[in-house]
PDB file of all heavy atoms in Angstrom:
ATOM      1  N   ASP A  21      26.051  14.054  -2.504  1.00  0.00           N
ATOM      2  CA  ASP A  21      25.486  15.274  -2.103  1.00  0.00           C
ATOM      3  C   ASP A  21      25.648  16.370  -3.102  1.00  0.00           C
ATOM      4  O   ASP A  21      26.752  16.750  -3.553  1.00  0.00           O
ATOM      5  CB  ASP A  21      26.130  15.808  -0.819  1.00  0.00           C
ATOM      6  CG  ASP A  21      25.187  16.860  -0.165  1.00  0.00           C
ATOM      7  OD1 ASP A  21      24.056  16.952  -0.332  1.00  0.00           O
ATOM      8  OD2 ASP A  21      25.895  17.727   0.480  1.00  0.00           O
ATOM      9  N   GLY A  22      24.532  16.834  -3.709  1.00  0.00           N
ATOM     10  CA  GLY A  22      24.558  17.966  -4.665  1.00  0.00           C
ATOM     11  C   GLY A  22      24.908  17.560  -6.124  1.00  0.00           C
ATOM     12  O   GLY A  22      24.809  18.399  -6.959  1.00  0.00           O
ATOM     13  N   LEU A  23      25.266  16.266  -6.403  1.00  0.00           N
ATOM     14  CA  LEU A  23      25.616  15.801  -7.674  1.00  0.00           C
ATOM     15  C   LEU A  23      24.289  15.807  -8.540  1.00  0.00           C
ATOM     16  O   LEU A  23      23.261  15.272  -8.125  1.00  0.00           O
ATOM     17  CB  LEU A  23      26.228  14.525  -7.654  1.00  0.00           C
ATOM     18  CG  LEU A  23      26.916  14.023  -8.875  1.00  0.00           C
ATOM     19  CD1 LEU A  23      28.227  14.862  -9.172  1.00  0.00           C
ATOM     20  CD2 LEU A  23      27.365  12.551  -8.732  1.00  0.00           C
ATOM     21  N   ARG A  24      24.321  16.387  -9.765  1.00  0.00           N
ATOM     22  CA  ARG A  24      23.200  16.317 -10.609  1.00  0.00           C
ATOM     23  C   ARG A  24      23.354  15.154 -11.489  1.00  0.00           C
ATOM     24  O   ARG A  24      24.198  15.028 -12.275  1.00  0.00           O
ATOM     25  CB  ARG A  24      23.203  17.598 -11.437  1.00  0.00           C
ATOM     26  CG  ARG A  24      22.969  18.840 -10.561  1.00  0.00           C
ATOM     27  CD  ARG A  24      23.313  20.194 -11.352  1.00  0.00           C
ATOM     28  NE  ARG A  24      22.448  20.483 -12.411  1.00  0.00           N
ATOM     29  CZ  ARG A  24      21.559  21.413 -12.371  1.00  0.00           C
ATOM     30  NH1 ARG A  24      21.385  22.150 -11.317  1.00  0.00           N
ATOM     31  NH2 ARG A  24      20.831  21.627 -13.474  1.00  0.00           N
ATOM     32  N   VAL A  25      22.290  14.381 -11.422  1.00  0.00           N
ATOM     33  CA  VAL A  25      22.270  12.955 -12.171  1.00  0.00           C
ATOM     34  C   VAL A  25      21.066  13.030 -13.000  1.00  0.00           C
ATOM     35  O   VAL A  25      19.886  13.119 -12.463  1.00  0.00           O
ATOM     36  CB  VAL A  25      22.206  11.774 -11.219  1.00  0.00           C
ATOM     37  CG1 VAL A  25      22.294  10.533 -11.936  1.00  0.00           C
ATOM     38  CG2 VAL A  25      23.527  11.819 -10.227  1.00  0.00           C
ATOM     39  N   LEU A  26      21.285  12.822 -14.367  1.00  0.00           N
ATOM     40  CA  LEU A  26      20.160  12.557 -15.221  1.00  0.00           C
ATOM     41  C   LEU A  26      19.994  11.085 -15.477  1.00  0.00           C
ATOM     42  O   LEU A  26      20.967  10.409 -15.886  1.00  0.00           O
ATOM     43  CB  LEU A  26      20.493  13.371 -16.486  1.00  0.00           C
ATOM     44  CG  LEU A  26      19.443  13.090 -17.693  1.00  0.00           C
ATOM     45  CD1 LEU A  26      17.995  13.638 -17.308  1.00  0.00           C
ATOM     46  CD2 LEU A  26      19.897  13.815 -18.940  1.00  0.00           C
ATOM     47  N   VAL A  27      18.731  10.565 -15.179  1.00  0.00           N
ATOM     48  CA  VAL A  27      18.432   9.161 -15.467  1.00  0.00           C
ATOM     49  C   VAL A  27      17.463   9.059 -16.645  1.00  0.00           C
ATOM     50  O   VAL A  27      16.475   9.755 -16.713  1.00  0.00           O
ATOM     51  CB  VAL A  27      17.838   8.585 -14.173  1.00  0.00           C
ATOM     52  CG1 VAL A  27      17.377   7.161 -14.478  1.00  0.00           C
ATOM     53  CG2 VAL A  27      18.726   8.664 -13.044  1.00  0.00           C
ATOM     54  N   ILE A  28      17.921   8.169 -17.631  1.00  0.00           N
ATOM     55  CA  ILE A  28      17.023   7.939 -18.797  1.00  0.00           C
ATOM     56  C   ILE A  28      16.688   6.405 -18.715  1.00  0.00           C
ATOM     57  O   ILE A  28      17.559   5.637 -18.806  1.00  0.00           O
ATOM     58  CB  ILE A  28      17.759   8.266 -20.066  1.00  0.00           C
ATOM     59  CG1 ILE A  28      18.180   9.786 -20.093  1.00  0.00           C
ATOM     60  CG2 ILE A  28      16.805   7.999 -21.252  1.00  0.00           C
ATOM     61  CD1 ILE A  28      19.006  10.089 -21.404  1.00  0.00           C
ATOM     62  N   ASP A  29      15.365   6.236 -18.625  1.00  0.00           N
ATOM     63  CA  ASP A  29      14.819   4.765 -18.648  1.00  0.00           C
ATOM     64  C   ASP A  29      13.486   4.881 -19.124  1.00  0.00           C
ATOM     65  O   ASP A  29      12.648   5.593 -18.669  1.00  0.00           O
ATOM     66  CB  ASP A  29      15.047   4.074 -17.303  1.00  0.00           C
ATOM     67  CG  ASP A  29      15.028   2.649 -17.268  1.00  0.00           C
ATOM     68  OD1 ASP A  29      14.156   2.044 -18.039  1.00  0.00           O
ATOM     69  OD2 ASP A  29      15.871   1.964 -16.689  1.00  0.00           O
ATOM     70  N   HIS A  30      13.159   3.923 -20.027  1.00  0.00           N
ATOM     71  CA  HIS A  30      11.802   3.811 -20.624  1.00  0.00           C
ATOM     72  C   HIS A  30      10.818   3.176 -19.668  1.00  0.00           C
ATOM     73  O   HIS A  30       9.617   3.539 -19.661  1.00  0.00           O
ATOM     74  CB  HIS A  30      11.780   3.053 -21.929  1.00  0.00           C
ATOM     75  CG  HIS A  30      12.067   1.660 -21.887  1.00  0.00           C
ATOM     76  ND1 HIS A  30      13.247   1.170 -21.618  1.00  0.00           N
ATOM     77  CD2 HIS A  30      11.180   0.564 -21.725  1.00  0.00           C
ATOM     78  CE1 HIS A  30      13.165  -0.229 -21.472  1.00  0.00           C
ATOM     79  NE2 HIS A  30      11.934  -0.544 -21.595  1.00  0.00           N
ATOM     80  N   ASP A  31      11.233   2.493 -18.689  1.00  0.00           N
ATOM     81  CA  ASP A  31      10.398   1.873 -17.771  1.00  0.00           C
ATOM     82  C   ASP A  31      10.279   2.627 -16.579  1.00  0.00           C
ATOM     83  O   ASP A  31      11.146   3.111 -15.786  1.00  0.00           O
ATOM     84  CB  ASP A  31      11.197   0.586 -17.279  1.00  0.00           C
ATOM     85  CG  ASP A  31      10.436  -0.201 -16.374  1.00  0.00           C
ATOM     86  OD1 ASP A  31      10.413   0.000 -15.262  1.00  0.00           O
ATOM     87  OD2 ASP A  31       9.587  -1.151 -16.753  1.00  0.00           O
ATOM     88  N   THR A  32       8.911   3.052 -16.313  1.00  0.00           N
ATOM     89  CA  THR A  32       8.553   3.912 -15.300  1.00  0.00           C
ATOM     90  C   THR A  32       8.990   3.516 -13.904  1.00  0.00           C
ATOM     91  O   THR A  32       9.571   4.335 -13.046  1.00  0.00           O
ATOM     92  CB  THR A  32       7.023   4.127 -15.263  1.00  0.00           C
ATOM     93  OG1 THR A  32       6.648   4.635 -16.620  1.00  0.00           O
ATOM     94  CG2 THR A  32       6.636   5.144 -14.150  1.00  0.00           C
ATOM     95  N   GLU A  33       8.878   2.191 -13.593  1.00  0.00           N
ATOM     96  CA  GLU A  33       9.188   1.676 -12.305  1.00  0.00           C
ATOM     97  C   GLU A  33      10.659   1.775 -12.047  1.00  0.00           C
ATOM     98  O   GLU A  33      11.184   2.054 -10.983  1.00  0.00           O
ATOM     99  CB  GLU A  33       8.585   0.232 -12.007  1.00  0.00           C
ATOM    100  CG  GLU A  33       7.119   0.196 -11.898  1.00  0.00           C
ATOM    101  CD  GLU A  33       6.721  -1.134 -11.797  1.00  0.00           C
ATOM    102  OE1 GLU A  33       7.424  -2.165 -11.291  1.00  0.00           O
ATOM    103  OE2 GLU A  33       5.506  -1.482 -12.002  1.00  0.00           O
ATOM    104  N   ALA A  34      11.482   1.490 -13.116  1.00  0.00           N
ATOM    105  CA  ALA A  34      12.933   1.461 -12.978  1.00  0.00           C
ATOM    106  C   ALA A  34      13.347   2.852 -12.769  1.00  0.00           C
ATOM    107  O   ALA A  34      14.276   3.144 -11.954  1.00  0.00           O
ATOM    108  CB  ALA A  34      13.506   0.828 -14.224  1.00  0.00           C
ATOM    109  N   ARG A  35      12.871   3.760 -13.464  1.00  0.00           N
ATOM    110  CA  ARG A  35      13.192   5.181 -13.394  1.00  0.00           C
ATOM    111  C   ARG A  35      12.848   5.637 -11.903  1.00  0.00           C
ATOM    112  O   ARG A  35      13.749   6.396 -11.350  1.00  0.00           O
ATOM    113  CB  ARG A  35      12.286   6.009 -14.404  1.00  0.00           C
ATOM    114  CG  ARG A  35      13.079   6.773 -15.340  1.00  0.00           C
ATOM    115  CD  ARG A  35      12.286   7.670 -16.291  1.00  0.00           C
ATOM    116  NE  ARG A  35      10.766   7.810 -16.037  1.00  0.00           N
ATOM    117  CZ  ARG A  35       9.964   7.208 -16.866  1.00  0.00           C
ATOM    118  NH1 ARG A  35      10.228   6.424 -17.794  1.00  0.00           N
ATOM    119  NH2 ARG A  35       8.603   7.437 -16.682  1.00  0.00           N
ATOM    120  N   GLU A  36      11.769   5.401 -11.411  1.00  0.00           N
ATOM    121  CA  GLU A  36      11.419   5.813 -10.062  1.00  0.00           C
ATOM    122  C   GLU A  36      12.342   5.062  -8.943  1.00  0.00           C
ATOM    123  O   GLU A  36      12.653   5.850  -7.929  1.00  0.00           O
ATOM    124  CB  GLU A  36       9.924   5.621  -9.731  1.00  0.00           C
ATOM    125  CG  GLU A  36       9.049   6.587 -10.429  1.00  0.00           C
ATOM    126  CD  GLU A  36       9.530   8.042 -10.213  1.00  0.00           C
ATOM    127  OE1 GLU A  36       9.520   8.461  -9.077  1.00  0.00           O
ATOM    128  OE2 GLU A  36       9.751   8.727 -11.255  1.00  0.00           O
ATOM    129  N   LEU A  37      12.671   3.876  -9.262  1.00  0.00           N
ATOM    130  CA  LEU A  37      13.538   3.237  -8.242  1.00  0.00           C
ATOM    131  C   LEU A  37      14.915   3.943  -8.170  1.00  0.00           C
ATOM    132  O   LEU A  37      15.451   4.224  -7.215  1.00  0.00           O
ATOM    133  CB  LEU A  37      13.666   1.733  -8.628  1.00  0.00           C
ATOM    134  CG  LEU A  37      14.644   1.001  -7.729  1.00  0.00           C
ATOM    135  CD1 LEU A  37      14.157   0.967  -6.304  1.00  0.00           C
ATOM    136  CD2 LEU A  37      14.851  -0.469  -8.287  1.00  0.00           C
ATOM    137  N   LEU A  38      15.437   4.185  -9.492  1.00  0.00           N
ATOM    138  CA  LEU A  38      16.697   4.790  -9.486  1.00  0.00           C
ATOM    139  C   LEU A  38      16.623   6.154  -8.912  1.00  0.00           C
ATOM    140  O   LEU A  38      17.554   6.597  -8.170  1.00  0.00           O
ATOM    141  CB  LEU A  38      17.174   4.918 -11.028  1.00  0.00           C
ATOM    142  CG  LEU A  38      17.587   3.573 -11.686  1.00  0.00           C
ATOM    143  CD1 LEU A  38      17.745   3.771 -13.095  1.00  0.00           C
ATOM    144  CD2 LEU A  38      18.893   3.120 -11.000  1.00  0.00           C
ATOM    145  N   ARG A  39      15.540   6.985  -9.146  1.00  0.00           N
ATOM    146  CA  ARG A  39      15.395   8.245  -8.613  1.00  0.00           C
ATOM    147  C   ARG A  39      15.449   8.196  -7.051  1.00  0.00           C
ATOM    148  O   ARG A  39      16.095   8.957  -6.397  1.00  0.00           O
ATOM    149  CB  ARG A  39      14.135   8.861  -9.071  1.00  0.00           C
ATOM    150  CG  ARG A  39      13.903  10.241  -8.684  1.00  0.00           C
ATOM    151  CD  ARG A  39      12.443  10.616  -9.183  1.00  0.00           C
ATOM    152  NE  ARG A  39      12.144  12.055  -8.784  1.00  0.00           N
ATOM    153  CZ  ARG A  39      11.779  12.532  -7.663  1.00  0.00           C
ATOM    154  NH1 ARG A  39      11.467  11.576  -6.697  1.00  0.00           N
ATOM    155  NH2 ARG A  39      11.545  13.698  -7.318  1.00  0.00           N
ATOM    156  N   THR A  40      14.692   7.317  -6.439  1.00  0.00           N
ATOM    157  CA  THR A  40      14.579   7.173  -5.038  1.00  0.00           C
ATOM    158  C   THR A  40      15.909   6.867  -4.378  1.00  0.00           C
ATOM    159  O   THR A  40      16.341   7.452  -3.491  1.00  0.00           O
ATOM    160  CB  THR A  40      13.541   6.039  -4.751  1.00  0.00           C
ATOM    161  OG1 THR A  40      12.269   6.461  -5.183  1.00  0.00           O
ATOM    162  CG2 THR A  40      13.439   5.968  -3.163  1.00  0.00           C
ATOM    163  N   VAL A  41      16.587   5.880  -5.021  1.00  0.00           N
ATOM    164  CA  VAL A  41      18.015   5.426  -4.439  1.00  0.00           C
ATOM    165  C   VAL A  41      18.911   6.672  -4.534  1.00  0.00           C
ATOM    166  O   VAL A  41      19.608   6.916  -3.592  1.00  0.00           O
ATOM    167  CB  VAL A  41      18.505   4.274  -5.319  1.00  0.00           C
ATOM    168  CG1 VAL A  41      19.971   4.054  -5.081  1.00  0.00           C
ATOM    169  CG2 VAL A  41      17.631   2.986  -4.979  1.00  0.00           C
ATOM    170  N   LEU A  42      18.921   7.371  -5.632  1.00  0.00           N
ATOM    171  CA  LEU A  42      19.894   8.399  -5.751  1.00  0.00           C
ATOM    172  C   LEU A  42      19.557   9.629  -4.859  1.00  0.00           C
ATOM    173  O   LEU A  42      20.506  10.345  -4.358  1.00  0.00           O
ATOM    174  CB  LEU A  42      19.985   8.882  -7.188  1.00  0.00           C
ATOM    175  CG  LEU A  42      20.629   7.820  -8.243  1.00  0.00           C
ATOM    176  CD1 LEU A  42      20.537   8.192  -9.579  1.00  0.00           C
ATOM    177  CD2 LEU A  42      22.055   7.405  -7.770  1.00  0.00           C
ATOM    178  N   LEU A  43      18.224   9.926  -4.772  1.00  0.00           N
ATOM    179  CA  LEU A  43      17.817  10.982  -3.847  1.00  0.00           C
ATOM    180  C   LEU A  43      18.249  10.722  -2.411  1.00  0.00           C
ATOM    181  O   LEU A  43      18.669  11.611  -1.784  1.00  0.00           O
ATOM    182  CB  LEU A  43      16.280  11.137  -3.950  1.00  0.00           C
ATOM    183  CG  LEU A  43      15.834  11.941  -5.191  1.00  0.00           C
ATOM    184  CD1 LEU A  43      14.275  11.929  -5.170  1.00  0.00           C
ATOM    185  CD2 LEU A  43      16.310  13.444  -5.201  1.00  0.00           C
ATOM    186  N   GLN A  44      18.094   9.463  -1.996  1.00  0.00           N
ATOM    187  CA  GLN A  44      18.361   9.016  -0.670  1.00  0.00           C
ATOM    188  C   GLN A  44      19.813   9.256  -0.404  1.00  0.00           C
ATOM    189  O   GLN A  44      20.295   9.334   0.719  1.00  0.00           O
ATOM    190  CB  GLN A  44      18.016   7.653  -0.351  1.00  0.00           C
ATOM    191  CG  GLN A  44      16.615   7.317  -0.351  1.00  0.00           C
ATOM    192  CD  GLN A  44      16.212   5.844  -0.172  1.00  0.00           C
ATOM    193  OE1 GLN A  44      16.908   5.012  -0.474  1.00  0.00           O
ATOM    194  NE2 GLN A  44      14.915   5.693   0.165  1.00  0.00           N
ATOM    195  N   ARG A  45      20.679   9.288  -1.453  1.00  0.00           N
ATOM    196  CA  ARG A  45      22.087   9.339  -1.239  1.00  0.00           C
ATOM    197  C   ARG A  45      22.590  10.836  -1.536  1.00  0.00           C
ATOM    198  O   ARG A  45      23.741  11.083  -1.681  1.00  0.00           O
ATOM    199  CB  ARG A  45      22.865   8.428  -2.078  1.00  0.00           C
ATOM    200  CG  ARG A  45      22.956   7.042  -1.389  1.00  0.00           C
ATOM    201  CD  ARG A  45      22.624   5.881  -2.331  1.00  0.00           C
ATOM    202  NE  ARG A  45      22.831   4.674  -1.652  1.00  0.00           N
ATOM    203  CZ  ARG A  45      21.709   4.035  -1.232  1.00  0.00           C
ATOM    204  NH1 ARG A  45      20.433   4.443  -1.476  1.00  0.00           N
ATOM    205  NH2 ARG A  45      21.816   2.821  -0.754  1.00  0.00           N
ATOM    206  N   GLY A  46      21.580  11.841  -1.651  1.00  0.00           N
ATOM    207  CA  GLY A  46      22.027  13.179  -1.739  1.00  0.00           C
ATOM    208  C   GLY A  46      22.021  13.725  -3.134  1.00  0.00           C
ATOM    209  O   GLY A  46      22.410  14.982  -3.236  1.00  0.00           O
ATOM    210  N   ALA A  47      21.843  12.992  -4.000  1.00  0.00           N
ATOM    211  CA  ALA A  47      21.872  13.504  -5.524  1.00  0.00           C
ATOM    212  C   ALA A  47      20.674  14.343  -5.847  1.00  0.00           C
ATOM    213  O   ALA A  47      19.566  14.125  -5.213  1.00  0.00           O
ATOM    214  CB  ALA A  47      22.001  12.403  -6.562  1.00  0.00           C
ATOM    215  N   ASP A  48      20.857  15.301  -6.677  1.00  0.00           N
ATOM    216  CA  ASP A  48      19.688  16.051  -7.340  1.00  0.00           C
ATOM    217  C   ASP A  48      19.509  15.289  -8.572  1.00  0.00           C
ATOM    218  O   ASP A  48      20.368  15.129  -9.504  1.00  0.00           O
ATOM    219  CB  ASP A  48      20.209  17.470  -7.621  1.00  0.00           C
ATOM    220  CG  ASP A  48      19.163  18.457  -8.129  1.00  0.00           C
ATOM    221  OD1 ASP A  48      18.005  17.947  -8.272  1.00  0.00           O
ATOM    222  OD2 ASP A  48      19.547  19.468  -8.606  1.00  0.00           O
ATOM    223  N   VAL A  49      18.227  14.686  -8.643  1.00  0.00           N
ATOM    224  CA  VAL A  49      17.943  13.773  -9.760  1.00  0.00           C
ATOM    225  C   VAL A  49      16.919  14.323 -10.720  1.00  0.00           C
ATOM    226  O   VAL A  49      15.833  14.806 -10.210  1.00  0.00           O
ATOM    227  CB  VAL A  49      17.547  12.396  -9.177  1.00  0.00           C
ATOM    228  CG1 VAL A  49      17.232  11.420 -10.370  1.00  0.00           C
ATOM    229  CG2 VAL A  49      18.695  11.982  -8.207  1.00  0.00           C
ATOM    230  N   ARG A  50      17.058  14.184 -11.920  1.00  0.00           N
ATOM    231  CA  ARG A  50      16.070  14.409 -12.928  1.00  0.00           C
ATOM    232  C   ARG A  50      15.810  13.089 -13.735  1.00  0.00           C
ATOM    233  O   ARG A  50      16.880  12.538 -14.209  1.00  0.00           O
ATOM    234  CB  ARG A  50      16.449  15.532 -13.819  1.00  0.00           C
ATOM    235  CG  ARG A  50      15.291  16.007 -14.813  1.00  0.00           C
ATOM    236  CD  ARG A  50      15.526  17.274 -15.552  1.00  0.00           C
ATOM    237  NE  ARG A  50      15.357  18.275 -14.554  1.00  0.00           N
ATOM    238  CZ  ARG A  50      15.483  19.611 -14.840  1.00  0.00           C
ATOM    239  NH1 ARG A  50      15.619  19.957 -16.148  1.00  0.00           N
ATOM    240  NH2 ARG A  50      15.262  20.515 -13.850  1.00  0.00           N
ATOM    241  N   THR A  51      14.644  12.659 -13.976  1.00  0.00           N
ATOM    242  CA  THR A  51      14.429  11.389 -14.732  1.00  0.00           C
ATOM    243  C   THR A  51      13.516  11.753 -15.968  1.00  0.00           C
ATOM    244  O   THR A  51      12.662  12.584 -15.908  1.00  0.00           O
ATOM    245  CB  THR A  51      13.772  10.309 -13.963  1.00  0.00           C
ATOM    246  OG1 THR A  51      12.316  10.759 -13.537  1.00  0.00           O
ATOM    247  CG2 THR A  51      14.365   9.971 -12.739  1.00  0.00           C
ATOM    248  N   VAL A  52      13.897  10.978 -17.077  1.00  0.00           N
ATOM    249  CA  VAL A  52      13.158  11.171 -18.320  1.00  0.00           C
ATOM    250  C   VAL A  52      12.966   9.735 -18.943  1.00  0.00           C
ATOM    251  O   VAL A  52      13.759   8.947 -18.723  1.00  0.00           O
ATOM    252  CB  VAL A  52      13.939  12.196 -19.301  1.00  0.00           C
ATOM    253  CG1 VAL A  52      13.945  13.524 -18.667  1.00  0.00           C
ATOM    254  CG2 VAL A  52      15.314  11.739 -19.617  1.00  0.00           C
ATOM    255  N   PRO A  53      11.915   9.669 -19.719  1.00  0.00           N
ATOM    256  CA  PRO A  53      11.572   8.255 -20.336  1.00  0.00           C
ATOM    257  C   PRO A  53      12.264   8.004 -21.681  1.00  0.00           C
ATOM    258  O   PRO A  53      12.265   6.818 -22.134  1.00  0.00           O
ATOM    259  CB  PRO A  53      10.144   8.342 -20.423  1.00  0.00           C
ATOM    260  CG  PRO A  53       9.764   9.772 -20.748  1.00  0.00           C
ATOM    261  CD  PRO A  53      10.789  10.496 -19.937  1.00  0.00           C
ATOM    262  N   SER A  54      12.957   9.033 -22.308  1.00  0.00           N
ATOM    263  CA  SER A  54      13.402   8.783 -23.615  1.00  0.00           C
ATOM    264  C   SER A  54      14.720   9.445 -23.961  1.00  0.00           C
ATOM    265  O   SER A  54      15.098  10.414 -23.303  1.00  0.00           O
ATOM    266  CB  SER A  54      12.342   9.228 -24.668  1.00  0.00           C
ATOM    267  OG  SER A  54      12.334  10.628 -24.653  1.00  0.00           O
ATOM    268  N   VAL A  55      15.355   9.061 -24.945  1.00  0.00           N
ATOM    269  CA  VAL A  55      16.653   9.578 -25.391  1.00  0.00           C
ATOM    270  C   VAL A  55      16.374  11.072 -25.782  1.00  0.00           C
ATOM    271  O   VAL A  55      17.251  11.989 -25.443  1.00  0.00           O
ATOM    272  CB  VAL A  55      17.346   8.775 -26.591  1.00  0.00           C
ATOM    273  CG1 VAL A  55      18.486   9.560 -27.162  1.00  0.00           C
ATOM    274  CG2 VAL A  55      17.765   7.472 -25.989  1.00  0.00           C
TER     275      VAL A  55
END
């Protein structure tokens, strides 16, 4: 809850899966495709 998590993954599907999982657990998530 409220934890800000930055996810970096070049794979769009993997990024969205991680985003969904973390959002469901209360995280504030931002995803990006590159370093």
